[in-house]
Amino acid sequence: MKTVKKILICLLGCLMLGGGMGCLIRVGIGSDSLSCFYEGLSLKTNISVGTVSLLMNLLYCVVVFFLDKKKIGVSTFLFMIFGKYPIDFFYEHFFTPDSLIVAILLDIVICLVIGVGCAVIIAADLGITAYDSLTLSTSEVLKKNYVVVRYIYDGAFLLAGILLGGTFGIATIIALIEIGPVFNYAKKILVK
């Protein structure tokens, strides 16, 4: 029963993270680096944003398998598979506000949900997402500071997303400032 509870907690985190990504893109004033990249790739390939997320997470897993396969866990696959659906659902059904103020306020709340969602996935204690596995494995293999490696990956994906036509804007700055601290704070509360 304990495993079922952990899986349900992880799925809640997947819903929060994936749904947040879909909403962030849909609001239309920018998004975090991965969402920007997935949106841009979706626009260029005519594949849904959620499917792009699924395919990219699969690619991250292949790389991590060769770097440090111990980083791949149940959460890695749960988000890969079940993160796709909330991304697509909220990307297609969430609304785009007419007011910039409303959009900014919404994005602040959405980034809060994304940060907490990431912490909920960690709290489930079933591993981490494929992207987190990729950045952590790269950091350890190269013996480089994790924060620096994460910023390099995030920056590269953001630049690629912008070049592919993904939305860069105020919400990108909000995401950059808000998600990390919210995640760290929520993780301290949830992970015991």
Side-chain angles (χ1 to χ4, degrees), residues 34 38 56-68 71-72 76 128-142 146 149-150 152-154 157:
L34 276 184
Y38 295 165
M56 289 304 301
N57 277 280
L58 187 59
L59 179 61
Y60 306 149
C61 277
V62 169
V63 174
V64 171
F65 180 81
F66 291 106
L67 292 175
D68 183 4
K71 296 278 187 288
I72 298 171
T76 310
I128 55 180
T129 66
Y131 183 65
D132 293 327
S133 298
L134 175 67
T135 56
L136 188 58
S137 297
T138 303
S139 163
E140 290 173 0
V141 167
L142 297 177
Y146 174 75
V149 170
R150 180 68 183 234
I152 290 170
Y153 269 107
D154 286 351
F157 279 113

Side-chain angles (χ1 to χ4, degrees), residues 12-160:
L12 173 64
C14 292
L15 173 64
M16 294 171 74
L17 177 55
M21 289 172 75
C23 289
L24 203 58
I25 296 167
R26 183 64 180 201
V27 169
I29 59 169
S31 57
D32 66 283
S33 59
L34 276 184
S35 300
C36 179
F37 176 68
Y38 295 165
E39 177 191 18
L41 203 51
S42 171
L43 292 170
K44 291 295 183 198
T45 61
N46 208 24
I47 298 172
S48 78
V49 177
T51 302
V52 168
S53 169
L54 172 75
L55 295 172
M56 289 304 301
N57 277 280
L58 187 59
L59 179 61
Y60 306 149
C61 277
V62 169
V63 174
V64 171
F65 180 81
F66 291 106
L67 292 175
D68 183 4
K69 60 185 166 203
K70 293 179 202 147
K71 296 278 187 288
I72 298 171
V74 174
S75 290
T76 310
F77 292 104
L78 285 176
F79 181 72
M80 183 188 319
I81 296 164
F82 294 105
K84 170 198 180 322
Y85 300 105
I87 291 171
D88 282 342
F89 178 82
F90 286 99
Y91 178 72
E92 291 182 19
H93 299 295
F94 201 68
F95 70 101
T96 302
D98 294 330
S99 160
L100 180 61
I101 299 291
V102 172
I104 290 171
L105 292 173
L106 268 174
D107 281 339
I108 289 169
V109 173
I110 292 165
C111 287
L112 175 78
V113 170
I114 290 172
V116 173
C118 291
V120 168
I121 291 171
I122 299 286
D125 195 28
L126 294 172
I128 55 180
T129 66
Y131 183 65
D132 293 327
S133 298
L134 175 67
T135 56
L136 188 58
S137 297
T138 303
S139 163
E140 290 173 0
V141 167
L142 297 177
K143 296 179 176 39
K144 300 292 181 189
N145 181 292
Y146 174 75
V147 174
V148 172
V149 170
R150 180 68 183 234
Y151 274 125
I152 290 170
Y153 269 107
D154 286 351
F157 279 113
L158 179 60
L159 180 60

